[in-house]
Amino acid sequence: MFPYVDKHNPWSSHSIIAGWLKEAPAGATVLDVGTASGTLGRLCQGKGLQFVGIEPNPEWAEMARPFYLELFVGSVQSAPDEYFSQAGVIVLADVLEHLAEPQSVLSGIVSQAKVGCLFIVSVPNVANLWDRIRLLFGHFDYTERGILDQTHLRFFTQDTLFDLLQKSGLRIQRCVVTPVPLDLVNPFFEQKAFGRRLHQALAQVTRWFPTLLGYQFVVLAINE
């Protein structure tokens, strides 16, 4: 069983990141930090990219290994320097919120990456409307998955994410917000035409009110 469900709807962070990676030059080396079971490697098979990965969980790493040229099993802090210095694109998808000191870790990665290296970063939005309502009523309850995942050590809004990236030496080029993944809440939103239309409508409204309704922020930045 995969640790995370591959999200195939066009508004998901997986689809957005895979789409951006397909714009990378042919043969580019992509470093996937936190591969989990290898979602990005699977989604981008046959696209002419060279995937290497870092994954601290040995069982997840073994599931991901067939989709990567190299895979380091261990923490991002202990990975070999060449993993960062040789990459043309570095992906940290749903990684920073799991780190006790994300600023220190990201700054270290940026300092080792070459000038012009692209960074793709995604984090959940703790200022999502539903979490604001729960906090208003005195609730800040951790869950098994989602924005308040029990393994999250740090929480981000759009402003705090942008501040983190800029302080680490990155220039933000693009930011996209994802809607709440209704297809993971109930199969109706994936299997039924009306459900898919509702999901599409939510995605559109989320783009109008990104900081209020956004589920995740997905950012493309460059190391200058």
Side-chain angles (χ1 to χ4, degrees):
M1 182 177 179
F2 290 157
Y4 292 101
V5 177
D6 293 357
K7 294 176 283 190
H8 296 284
N9 77 72
W11 315 287
S12 72
S13 59
H14 292 168
S15 295
I16 292 167
I17 294 171
W20 288 355
L21 288 175
K22 291 170 187 176
E23 298 175 7
T29 298
V30 178
L31 172 59
D32 184 8
V33 180
T35 65
S37 62
T39 293
L40 289 182
R42 281 195 299 274
L43 291 178
C44 295
Q45 286 290 292
K47 302 304 178 183
L49 300 173
Q50 308 296 314
F51 273 84
V52 296
I54 298 171
E55 174 52 52
N57 185 304
E59 293 182 4
W60 298 359
E62 286 309 304
M63 286 189 278
R65 193 175 296 280
F67 307 103
Y68 294 79
L69 293 176
E70 296 181 41
L71 201 154
F72 174 78
V73 182
S75 69
V76 61
Q77 297 95 322
S78 59
D81 293 348
E82 56 266 25
Y83 271 60
F84 307 105
S85 61
Q86 296 176 5
V89 184
I90 297 177
V91 181
L92 296 107
D94 297 334
V95 168
L96 297 180
E97 64 270 22
H98 295 276
L99 303 176
E101 299 182 356
Q103 181 74 75
S104 175
V105 173
L106 182 58
S107 295
I109 294 174
V110 173
S111 69
Q112 296 178 75
K114 58 189 175 184
V115 173
C117 179
L118 295 175
F119 281 72
I120 300 176
V121 177
S122 69
V123 298
N125 173 30
V126 75
N128 176 274
L129 176 61
W130 176 239
D131 289 300
R132 295 190 195 198
I133 292 173
R134 289 195 291 181
L135 190 59
L136 180 64
F137 287 94
H139 298 290
F140 194 86
D141 302 317
Y142 287 93
T143 56
E144 289 189 7
R145 291 188 179 181
I147 294 173
L148 296 183
D149 186 307
Q150 58 191 349
T151 65
H152 291 177
L153 302 178
R154 293 297 184 102
F155 300 93
F156 296 94
T157 64
Q158 179 176 271
D159 286 346
T160 58
L161 172 61
F162 284 7
D163 184 62
L164 174 74
L165 297 175
Q166 291 164 349
K167 286 182 177 177
S168 299
L170 298 174
R171 178 170 61 84
I172 296 168
Q173 294 189 317
R174 194 185 311 181
C175 179
V176 175
V177 65
T178 72
V180 172
L182 295 179
D183 51 329
L184 299 185
V185 175
N186 192 300
F188 166 79
F189 295 102
E190 179 180 19
Q191 298 173 0
K192 303 296 182 180
F194 182 61
R196 292 194 294 271
R197 287 196 293 270
L198 288 176
H199 200 175
Q200 182 178 16
L202 175 62
Q204 179 59 58
V205 175
T206 300
R207 285 194 290 269
W208 295 339
F209 304 98
T211 59
L212 182 65
L213 299 179
Y215 182 72
Q216 290 170 294
F217 297 112
V218 188
V219 175
L220 176 68
I222 188 168
N223 181 22
E224 295 186 324

